[in-house]
Amino acid sequence: MVREDDKLACLDTILSASRQSNPGTSVQKYLEELAPIEGRARSFYAHRFNADMNSSEFLRMLLLDACYILDWFGNFNPKNTANEQVPTSSTSEPAAGTGNIVRENGSHVANGDALAAGGGNKLETGWVVRDVLYLAENQIPYFVIDKIHNLTFSGDRVPPLKAITGYISCNLKQQQYSVATVLAADDDAPLPEPPGNLLHLLHMHFSKPKNSASSSRSGEPVRRCRTAMEYHINGVNFKSCAISAIGEARCILDVTLDRASGTLVVPRLNIDANTWCILCNLMALEQLNPALGCHVTAYCSFMSQLACTAADVELLSRRGIIEHRLGNNGEVAALFSDLCKGIEFDPDDPGTNYLRATCQALAELYRSRPRRWMALLVQKYSKNPWLAVGVMAGAFGLLCAIVQAVYSVLSYIQGAVK
């Protein structure tokens, strides 16, 4: 559970920053400013918040959560301190947007330049990033954060959207999940559509690939994809690619297929303790908000079928597509298998499955008998070089016999004509 002292300490930090320009700032003033947007904010929460929390408790929760996020990600470092306390609440409900964080040292992230910025403990910072940015159930409406920021700082302060976006971009770049840019470094213009919450802002970095192949409803239906080993046995090659701002892959979703060579190119996926948390919560966001699209869900569905056994994970690891620090390949495969449980997704809908054409092309390669025979020969004889040499020698001898037979027939025909 979140300690009350941690949230109150963040409130003190925000109050001290506000009092530098407005000495009369108080907790009551913040609550009065939040009151007009209470109804709008409640629409972002589950029914239990509307049923179990009265107005004063709900506004208190919004204030504490917004201050907590601004203290960690707001890109400021006030010098003064404040001791005013927010009114106590009788509810024990954890604040949405903060999660189960134990903040022991009072340090905070001062900017988005590094994951452990501000001198905070790295493990503690990891918990904060996970619970505040990734968990769908812990999200606070972004306009509440923006409201508290505007009440606290003057116009020359870095907008919270830019500060938080910079932090998320840095985080995803370090994890090698995405190098997509939501806001330019010198661009103060607002987004065309402001994020609903911080998880939505994270989702914006996983945009639908621009080079995804299009397909219509006609044609072969897309069912379950084959596993990596099944494709491999039938002649499909696998190749990894690094995520780069100047390369073809800008995020992990940029899966492509070179049909000429039969090579599936998949961006490298670095699996760590947060990978499943990020993917599952982004899918949950898409399930609750269909207007955002289903491209993360499509990617997860594809990967969960491609890497569902230990042999698949081993193959993809050898090809550099999967890198993990878990106990063994079987553990990774089990996590992939469970990734999309309970998710509603139509793989045959081209409007939601950007990989539909890729899956159809893979099915055609899988059914190609010449490719399958060639792959079987390569896999059978490449393990023993002497067998390969024997096959080549036998093929060469057969070719010589055929040539000799052809010349013999031609010589006989020429002699008969004369």
Side-chain angles (χ1 to χ4, degrees), residues 276-293:
W276 314 110
C277 180
I278 294 173
L279 295 179
C280 288
N281 282 281
L282 288 176
M283 283 194 292
L285 181 71
E286 291 181 344
Q287 293 283 291
L288 295 173
N289 302 273
L292 297 180

Side-chain angles (χ1 to χ4, degrees), residues 198-230:
L198 300 189
L199 182 62
H200 182 196
L201 186 58
L202 177 74
H203 184 272
M204 291 179 179
H205 291 77
F206 294 89
S207 58
K208 179 180 178 180
K210 296 180 180 179
N211 59 347
S212 58
S214 60
S215 62
S216 63
R217 266 284 184 182
S218 59
E220 180 185 1
V222 176
R223 299 182 179 90
R224 179 177 177 84
C225 293
R226 304 287 179 172
T227 67
M229 282 300 299
E230 288 177 316

